[in-house]
Amino acid sequence: RPSPATSVRFGSSQEVLGEDKLMAILKERELKIYWGTATTGKPHVAYFVPMSKIADFLKAGCEVTILFADLHAYLDNMKAPWELLELRTRYYEHVIKAMLESIGVPLEKLKFVRGTDYQLSKEYTLDVYRLSSVVTQHDAKKAGAEVVKQVEHPLLSGLLYPGLQALDEEYLKVDAQFGGVDQRKIFTFAEKYLPSLGYAKRVHLMNPMVPGLTGSKMSSSEEDSKIDLLDRKEDVKKKLKKAFCEPGNVENNGVLSFIKHVLFPLKSEFVVLREEKWGGNKTYTAYEALEKDFAEQIVHPGDLKNSVEVALNKLLDPIREKFNCPELKKLSSAAYPTPSKAKPGEKSTKNSEPEDVIPSRLDIRVGKVISVEKHPDADSLYVEKIDVGEAEPRTVVSGLVHFVPKEQLQDRLVVLLCNLKPQKMRGVESQGMVLCASSVGEPRQVEPLDPPAGCCAGERVYVEGYEDGEPDEELKPKKKVFEKLQADFHISEDCVAQWKQRNFLTKLGTVSCKSLKGGSIS
């Protein structure tokens, strides 16, 4: 942990590796440090955390380099296809600089470097080979476990990734590297292996990872968990409305986490905006006081979300304005083409399913059943209130009376399809569908699908390999997108829910049912 002296100079890092070396350097001169970002998915608002730390480093007199790690983006399971690499790197350069300017960081004090500026040189390439002759496959895989995308059949490129990041410390001629705590294994890998090539061990500083709006890590590949830097104000409002923010619950609360890790470090205060009849506006200068008031339900989730929306839009407005010019609009659409326009090799077309039947178009979420009642006009139907992480629970009508006792539904977690067009069922409008496993033969048996233990209401459920992409706002009945996909839904022999042998997943694991192996899903 950083000492008080270190914290005064560099703000509060979550962890420092090599603090003794850090203090020894500071006794002689200013620190040379770099922060790198792989140019993959669009940067989101959590990037304000490292940006605020970069501001701290500059105030402390450090020499700071920002690395746009374009080659790393390609090596990480081809998250950035080769033909889009240059475009995405240019997009990152513009958007990161716009972020820094929006929080008052002087760009002239920073050095900006692209990975391919030096990583394709003869000397660097030779060091990659030298490193590969001493690094074990086990250590390389372990080092990248939290950073490189984990897939069933990993590519060799993912094993090279940690070694290249270690070598960057030497070739950028820095004393220290800064990154998120998810980089820790790569940092310890670098400390172990750089000396084997005769290079010095560097200092490593880490900041906490920002949980997403759904309670998981904020990720470029999970649309509902993040707010993009160029999201329109109406998109910000929509995503915050869907964010998990249960009254009094401070655990896995994506909205509170965002205030703690993004807004407080930038502004040193947070204002909760309220009508006078609810106590009027209140300014918090310590996050702990805000969390305490929320836990005691003095602060309402609706007021918290509205206040975050206002504060966040103030940060994003200068970035939106900069990207409102034709040149940058063109760059944005070229670097991140829509699935139908994706170039060969782009991930969205790689799965080769027609655009109108890819699973990522389904808005499937974990829901918690708040209440269950018999339908007043239908003996076979339940009317449930289900929390899916929105401001109010949804009303859902399910034909489960003859299959699942009421008490087994109450307070349980279910899997809910949320973007079907609402329809009235015997006079009650249903705003979703509880997905269930059904037996093939007679007598018919039905079991609601089970999310992994520990999931939170509102968490996204996705199909393996289809993590990217934003669900449709509402599925159009005439296009029958759900019906086409449902034809390939089934339960595996291990009772796991699947689409074309690909598992239904949340960030905590697979979605399953209790016993109906080989069944269908409806």
Side-chain angles (χ1 to χ4, degrees):
R1 298 291 174 181
S3 69
T6 311
S7 295
V8 167
R9 298 203 70 185
F10 300 113
S12 55
S13 297
Q14 179 156 324
E15 187 174 5
V16 176
L17 300 177
E19 186 178 351
D20 290 344
K21 183 169 185 175
L22 171 64
M23 301 312 292
I25 293 169
L26 291 174
K27 287 177 182 177
E28 299 179 2
R29 57 176 171 80
E30 300 299 351
L31 192 74
K32 297 177 181 179
I33 189 168
Y34 99 89
W35 173 78
T37 179
T39 53
T40 53
K42 287 185 177 180
H44 45 72
V45 292
Y47 278 61
F48 275 116
V49 175
M51 296 305 102
S52 66
K53 298 303 299 177
I54 287 168
D56 287 340
F57 295 144
L58 289 173
K59 289 173 186 173
C62 297
E63 294 180 26
V64 182
T65 298
I66 291 181
L67 171 67
F68 297 109
D70 46 359
L71 194 56
H72 283 81
Y74 180 71
L75 291 175
D76 187 1
N77 208 45
M78 291 188 292
K79 282 184 180 177
W82 192 260
E83 58 272 21
L84 295 180
L85 211 55
E86 165 67 17
L87 292 167
R88 291 196 176 174
T89 303
R90 282 171 49 204
Y91 178 89
Y92 262 70
E93 288 181 4
H94 283 289
V95 84
I96 293 295
K97 288 177 180 178
M99 287 185 77
L100 289 164
E101 287 174 330
S102 77
I103 60 172
V105 176
L107 299 185
E108 63 272 13
K109 292 188 176 181
L110 291 164
K111 181 181 179 183
F112 296 93
V113 179
R114 292 189 185 194
T116 47
D117 288 345
Y118 63 90
Q119 290 168 345
L120 301 178
S121 68
K122 178 181 176 181
E123 294 77 16
Y124 189 95
T125 303
L126 181 58
D127 271 344
V128 172
Y129 286 133
R130 290 174 63 207
L131 196 60
S132 66
S133 71
V134 295
V135 172
T136 65
Q137 184 261 1
H138 171 270
D139 282 1
K141 185 177 180 181
K142 179 182 176 183
E146 293 186 42
V147 177
V148 178
K149 183 173 181 179
Q150 301 300 296
V151 293
E152 187 176 354
H153 301 292
L155 300 174
L156 178 60
S157 58
L159 298 178
L160 295 175
Y161 189 109
L164 268 65
Q165 187 167 335
L167 287 173
D168 289 341
E169 297 179 348
E170 174 63 25
Y171 279 78
L172 291 172
K173 303 302 178 187
V174 295
D175 306 307
Q177 183 179 174
F178 164 64
V181 290
D182 60 338
Q183 303 274 336
R184 193 182 196 282
K185 290 177 181 176
I186 289 183
F187 290 168
T188 56
F189 172 94
E191 292 186 1
K192 177 179 179 180
Y193 282 108
L194 276 188
S196 69
L197 300 187
Y199 298 142
K201 185 188 297 187
R202 265 63 179 191
V203 177
H204 296 101
L205 298 93
M206 286 162 271
N207 64 263
M209 300 305 295
V210 180
L213 298 175
T214 57
S216 59
K217 171 187 170 182
M218 192 172 287
S219 167
S220 293
S221 63
E222 188 174 339
E223 192 63 33
D224 281 346
S225 79
K226 68 186 177 79
I227 292 174
D228 282 334
L229 297 168
L230 300 181
D231 272 351
R232 300 170 303 167
K233 290 186 177 182
E234 51 265 42
D235 294 326
V236 172
K237 181 183 287 291
K238 182 179 76 172
K239 289 181 179 181
L240 283 170
K241 184 178 178 182
K242 292 166 69 174
F244 177 74
C245 191
E246 190 176 57
N249 184 357
V250 299
E251 300 297 325
N252 298 313
N253 188 319
V255 180
L256 273 178
S257 297
F258 183 77
I259 296 169
K260 178 180 181 180
H261 294 294
V262 177
L263 297 179
F264 255 107
L266 289 173
K267 299 294 183 182
S268 301
E269 67 175 29
F270 182 74
V271 181
V272 174
L273 306 171
R274 295 183 296 201
E275 294 181 30
E276 287 299 326
K277 65 180 179 180
W278 303 119
N281 297 351
K282 183 172 181 179
T283 300
Y284 291 89
T285 55
Y287 170 76
E288 292 73 19
L290 172 62
E291 184 180 278
K292 181 175 181 291
D293 278 2
F294 186 83
E296 295 174 0
Q297 299 192 35
I298 296 170
V299 174
H300 187 272
D303 294 329
L304 196 70
K305 289 182 178 184
N306 290 338
S307 306
V308 168
E309 181 185 343
V310 171
L312 182 54
N313 279 321
K314 286 180 181 178
L315 281 175
L316 297 183
D317 278 342
I319 303 172
R320 293 181 184 125
E321 185 177 350
K322 183 170 183 177
F323 271 76
N324 200 31
C325 68
E327 181 188 353
L328 291 183
K329 282 182 177 180
K330 184 178 179 181
L331 173 62
S332 181
S333 60
Y336 297 94
T338 56
S340 59
K341 297 178 183 177
K343 297 181 180 181
E346 172 66 85
K347 185 174 179 181
S348 57
T349 60
K350 195 170 145 184
N351 290 318
S352 68
E353 286 298 325
E355 185 196 355
D356 62 341
V357 291
I358 55 173
S360 55
R361 294 189 65 181
L362 302 180
D363 182 3
I364 307 176
R365 298 183 230 165
V366 175
K368 183 176 181 180
V369 180
I370 305 300
S371 67
V372 190
E373 301 294 339
K374 284 278 193 74
H375 193 296
D377 298 317
D379 291 341
S380 64
L381 301 178
Y382 285 130
V383 179
E384 303 126 358
K385 293 287 186 183
I386 301 180
D387 178 9
V388 288
E390 297 172 340
E392 300 293 335
R394 293 194 180 203
T395 299
V396 178
V397 180
S398 302
L400 296 174
V401 170
H402 300 312
F403 303 102
V404 185
K406 177 179 173 180
E407 57 272 15
Q408 287 186 17
L409 279 177
Q410 181 68 45
D411 297 324
R412 78 175 284 164
L413 293 179
V414 293
V415 175
L416 195 73
L417 178 61
C418 294
N419 60 342
L420 289 174
K421 184 177 180 179
Q423 60 176 340
K424 286 194 174 182
M425 299 179 70
R426 299 292 292 272
V428 178
E429 185 177 78
S430 182
Q431 300 168 321
M433 176 192 290
V434 176
L435 295 182
C436 298
S438 300
S439 61
V440 177
E442 295 294 336
R444 187 178 180 219
Q445 295 175 275
V446 176
E447 296 174 355
L449 295 183
D450 291 316
C455 283
C456 297
E459 249 177 70
R460 186 182 174 205
V461 177
Y462 55 90
V463 172
E464 182 180 8
Y466 290 85
E467 297 89 341
D468 293 347
E470 186 169 4
D472 288 11
E473 183 73 24
E474 182 178 283
L475 297 172
K476 305 302 180 187
K478 288 184 179 180
K479 291 190 175 182
K480 298 190 179 299
V481 174
F482 174 67
E483 290 80 359
K484 291 174 184 177
L485 290 164
Q486 185 189 15
D488 293 302
F489 286 1
H490 76 285
I491 302 296
S492 73
E493 292 303 305
D494 298 323
C495 290
V496 173
Q498 294 184 330
W499 175 80
K500 291 189 175 182
Q501 284 73 54
R502 295 172 180 263
N503 294 341
F504 281 55
L505 300 168
T506 74
K507 63 185 177 66
L508 295 180
T510 56
V511 172
S512 60
C513 70
K514 286 186 169 54
S515 63
L516 301 181
K517 58 181 67 175
S520 60
I521 300 174
S522 57

mmCIF file of all heavy atoms in Angstrom, residues 411-430:
data_model
loop_
_atom_site.group_PDB
_atom_site.id
_atom_site.type_symbol
_atom_site.label_atom_id
_atom_site.label_comp_id
_atom_site.label_asym_id
_atom_site.label_seq_id
_atom_site.Cartn_x
_atom_site.Cartn_y
_atom_site.Cartn_z
ATOM 1 N N ASP A 411 -39.552 -14.421 -4.731
ATOM 2 C CA ASP A 411 -38.190 -14.029 -4.345
ATOM 3 C C ASP A 411 -37.077 -14.785 -5.073
ATOM 4 O O ASP A 411 -35.899 -14.636 -4.720
ATOM 5 C CB ASP A 411 -37.972 -14.169 -2.827
ATOM 6 C CG ASP A 411 -38.867 -13.242 -2.028
ATOM 7 O OD1 ASP A 411 -39.107 -12.122 -2.508
ATOM 8 O OD2 ASP A 411 -39.338 -13.648 -0.945
ATOM 9 N N ARG A 412 -37.414 -15.591 -6.072
ATOM 10 C CA ARG A 412 -36.353 -16.310 -6.778
ATOM 11 C C ARG A 412 -35.820 -15.474 -7.940
ATOM 12 O O ARG A 412 -36.469 -14.548 -8.433
ATOM 13 C CB ARG A 412 -36.840 -17.670 -7.288
ATOM 14 C CG ARG A 412 -37.682 -17.608 -8.542
ATOM 15 C CD ARG A 412 -38.026 -19.010 -9.060
ATOM 16 N NE ARG A 412 -36.899 -19.636 -9.720
ATOM 17 C CZ ARG A 412 -36.824 -20.931 -9.991
ATOM 18 N NH1 ARG A 412 -37.804 -21.753 -9.623
ATOM 19 N NH2 ARG A 412 -35.785 -21.427 -10.620
ATOM 20 N N LEU A 413 -34.617 -15.803 -8.399
ATOM 21 C CA LEU A 413 -34.044 -15.191 -9.580
ATOM 22 C C LEU A 413 -34.521 -15.948 -10.815
ATOM 23 O O LEU A 413 -34.575 -17.169 -10.812
ATOM 24 C CB LEU A 413 -32.518 -15.208 -9.526
ATOM 25 C CG LEU A 413 -31.854 -14.337 -8.456
ATOM 26 C CD1 LEU A 413 -30.341 -14.490 -8.522
ATOM 27 C CD2 LEU A 413 -32.238 -12.871 -8.606
ATOM 28 N N VAL A 414 -34.869 -15.208 -11.854
ATOM 29 C CA VAL A 414 -35.326 -15.805 -13.101
ATOM 30 C C VAL A 414 -34.569 -15.146 -14.262
ATOM 31 O O VAL A 414 -33.803 -14.203 -14.068
ATOM 32 C CB VAL A 414 -36.848 -15.625 -13.292
ATOM 33 C CG1 VAL A 414 -37.623 -16.410 -12.261
ATOM 34 C CG2 VAL A 414 -37.225 -14.145 -13.263
ATOM 35 N N VAL A 415 -34.797 -15.652 -15.460
ATOM 36 C CA VAL A 415 -34.209 -15.077 -16.671
ATOM 37 C C VAL A 415 -35.355 -14.493 -17.493
ATOM 38 O O VAL A 415 -36.296 -15.211 -17.844
ATOM 39 C CB VAL A 415 -33.439 -16.142 -17.472
ATOM 40 C CG1 VAL A 415 -32.938 -15.565 -18.790
ATOM 41 C CG2 VAL A 415 -32.279 -16.686 -16.649
ATOM 42 N N LEU A 416 -35.279 -13.191 -17.781
ATOM 43 C CA LEU A 416 -36.407 -12.499 -18.401
ATOM 44 C C LEU A 416 -36.000 -11.898 -19.750
ATOM 45 O O LEU A 416 -34.980 -11.208 -19.846
ATOM 46 C CB LEU A 416 -36.908 -11.376 -17.486
ATOM 47 C CG LEU A 416 -38.288 -10.805 -17.825
ATOM 48 C CD1 LEU A 416 -39.387 -11.794 -17.442
ATOM 49 C CD2 LEU A 416 -38.515 -9.482 -17.099
ATOM 50 N N LEU A 417 -36.806 -12.173 -20.779
ATOM 51 C CA LEU A 417 -36.652 -11.503 -22.065
ATOM 52 C C LEU A 417 -37.392 -10.181 -21.970
ATOM 53 O O LEU A 417 -38.610 -10.149 -21.768
ATOM 54 C CB LEU A 417 -37.218 -12.371 -23.194
ATOM 55 C CG LEU A 417 -37.160 -11.772 -24.597
ATOM 56 C CD1 LEU A 417 -35.725 -11.493 -25.025
ATOM 57 C CD2 LEU A 417 -37.844 -12.697 -25.604
ATOM 58 N N CYS A 418 -36.647 -9.069 -22.132
ATOM 59 C CA CYS A 418 -37.183 -7.752 -21.778
ATOM 60 C C CYS A 418 -37.592 -6.881 -22.962
ATOM 61 O O CYS A 418 -38.180 -5.817 -22.755
ATOM 62 C CB CYS A 418 -36.164 -6.984 -20.932
ATOM 63 S SG CYS A 418 -35.868 -7.720 -19.307
ATOM 64 N N ASN A 419 -37.256 -7.284 -24.190
ATOM 65 C CA ASN A 419 -37.562 -6.369 -25.296
ATOM 66 C C ASN A 419 -38.582 -6.905 -26.289
ATOM 67 O O ASN A 419 -38.604 -6.500 -27.450
ATOM 68 C CB ASN A 419 -36.289 -5.907 -26.018
ATOM 69 C CG ASN A 419 -35.482 -7.048 -26.621
ATOM 70 O OD1 ASN A 419 -35.648 -8.208 -26.255
ATOM 71 N ND2 ASN A 419 -34.597 -6.710 -27.547
ATOM 72 N N LEU A 420 -39.445 -7.814 -25.834
ATOM 73 C CA LEU A 420 -40.627 -8.144 -26.621
ATOM 74 C C LEU A 420 -41.597 -6.970 -26.555
ATOM 75 O O LEU A 420 -41.616 -6.219 -25.576
ATOM 76 C CB LEU A 420 -41.313 -9.391 -26.062
ATOM 77 C CG LEU A 420 -40.602 -10.735 -26.257
ATOM 78 C CD1 LEU A 420 -41.356 -11.826 -25.510
ATOM 79 C CD2 LEU A 420 -40.486 -11.085 -27.730
ATOM 80 N N LYS A 421 -42.412 -6.820 -27.572
ATOM 81 C CA LYS A 421 -43.427 -5.780 -27.532
ATOM 82 C C LYS A 421 -44.444 -6.123 -26.451
ATOM 83 O O LYS A 421 -44.975 -7.239 -26.420
ATOM 84 C CB LYS A 421 -44.139 -5.678 -28.884
ATOM 85 C CG LYS A 421 -45.154 -4.547 -28.950
ATOM 86 C CD LYS A 421 -45.778 -4.444 -30.336
ATOM 87 C CE LYS A 421 -46.779 -3.308 -30.378
ATOM 88 N NZ LYS A 421 -47.393 -3.163 -31.714
ATOM 89 N N PRO A 422 -44.711 -5.212 -25.497
ATOM 90 C CA PRO A 422 -45.693 -5.505 -24.441
ATOM 91 C C PRO A 422 -47.048 -5.890 -25.051
ATOM 92 O O PRO A 422 -47.472 -5.309 -26.051
ATOM 93 C CB PRO A 422 -45.799 -4.188 -23.669
ATOM 94 C CG PRO A 422 -44.498 -3.497 -23.930
ATOM 95 C CD PRO A 422 -44.120 -3.864 -25.337
ATOM 96 N N GLN A 423 -47.686 -6.893 -24.454
ATOM 97 C CA GLN A 423 -49.004 -7.290 -24.959
ATOM 98 C C GLN A 423 -49.922 -7.661 -23.801
ATOM 99 O O GLN A 423 -49.453 -8.148 -22.773
ATOM 100 C CB GLN A 423 -48.892 -8.455 -25.938
ATOM 101 C CG GLN A 423 -48.277 -9.713 -25.350
ATOM 102 C CD GLN A 423 -48.274 -10.865 -26.351
ATOM 103 O OE1 GLN A 423 -49.032 -10.862 -27.323
ATOM 104 N NE2 GLN A 423 -47.428 -11.839 -26.118
ATOM 105 N N LYS A 424 -51.210 -7.427 -24.017
ATOM 106 C CA LYS A 424 -52.189 -7.748 -22.978
ATOM 107 C C LYS A 424 -52.529 -9.233 -23.022
ATOM 108 O O LYS A 424 -52.770 -9.800 -24.081
ATOM 109 C CB LYS A 424 -53.451 -6.916 -23.160
ATOM 110 C CG LYS A 424 -53.261 -5.457 -22.757
ATOM 111 C CD LYS A 424 -54.576 -4.721 -22.611
ATOM 112 C CE LYS A 424 -54.342 -3.312 -22.065
ATOM 113 N NZ LYS A 424 -55.601 -2.578 -21.862
ATOM 114 N N MET A 425 -52.524 -9.835 -21.835
ATOM 115 C CA MET A 425 -52.905 -11.237 -21.691
ATOM 116 C C MET A 425 -54.095 -11.296 -20.744
ATOM 117 O O MET A 425 -53.947 -11.063 -19.544
ATOM 118 C CB MET A 425 -51.721 -12.067 -21.176
ATOM 119 C CG MET A 425 -50.517 -12.038 -22.140
ATOM 120 S SD MET A 425 -49.092 -12.976 -21.552
ATOM 121 C CE MET A 425 -49.701 -14.657 -21.693
ATOM 122 N N ARG A 426 -55.243 -11.498 -21.321
ATOM 123 C CA ARG A 426 -56.514 -11.500 -20.577
ATOM 124 C C ARG A 426 -56.674 -10.212 -19.764
ATOM 125 O O ARG A 426 -57.013 -10.235 -18.581
ATOM 126 C CB ARG A 426 -56.599 -12.735 -19.661
ATOM 127 C CG ARG A 426 -56.552 -14.071 -20.395
ATOM 128 C CD ARG A 426 -57.806 -14.310 -21.234
ATOM 129 N NE ARG A 426 -58.980 -14.503 -20.408
ATOM 130 C CZ ARG A 426 -59.375 -15.690 -19.923
ATOM 131 N NH1 ARG A 426 -58.687 -16.781 -20.209
ATOM 132 N NH2 ARG A 426 -60.475 -15.780 -19.194
ATOM 133 N N GLY A 427 -56.364 -9.078 -20.404
ATOM 134 C CA GLY A 427 -56.605 -7.780 -19.787
ATOM 135 C C GLY A 427 -55.448 -7.192 -19.000
ATOM 136 O O GLY A 427 -55.510 -6.045 -18.578
ATOM 137 N N VAL A 428 -54.362 -7.965 -18.764
ATOM 138 C CA VAL A 428 -53.202 -7.467 -18.028
ATOM 139 C C VAL A 428 -52.015 -7.377 -18.979
ATOM 140 O O VAL A 428 -51.659 -8.367 -19.627
ATOM 141 C CB VAL A 428 -52.844 -8.384 -16.835
ATOM 142 C CG1 VAL A 428 -51.590 -7.856 -16.118
ATOM 143 C CG2 VAL A 428 -54.007 -8.476 -15.860
ATOM 144 N N GLU A 429 -51.402 -6.189 -19.077
ATOM 145 C CA GLU A 429 -50.262 -6.029 -19.992
ATOM 146 C C GLU A 429 -49.015 -6.689 -19.422
ATOM 147 O O GLU A 429 -48.602 -6.421 -18.295
ATOM 148 C CB GLU A 429 -49.976 -4.548 -20.239
ATOM 149 C CG GLU A 429 -48.883 -4.338 -21.285
ATOM 150 C CD GLU A 429 -48.631 -2.888 -21.610
ATOM 151 O OE1 GLU A 429 -47.951 -2.217 -20.803
ATOM 152 O OE2 GLU A 429 -49.133 -2.433 -22.656
ATOM 153 N N SER A 430 -48.408 -7.561 -20.227
ATOM 154 C CA SER A 430 -47.178 -8.243 -19.834
ATOM 155 C C SER A 430 -45.994 -7.556 -20.483
ATOM 156 O O SER A 430 -45.977 -7.316 -21.696
ATOM 157 C CB SER A 430 -47.223 -9.713 -20.263
ATOM 158 O OG SER A 430 -46.049 -10.385 -19.838
#
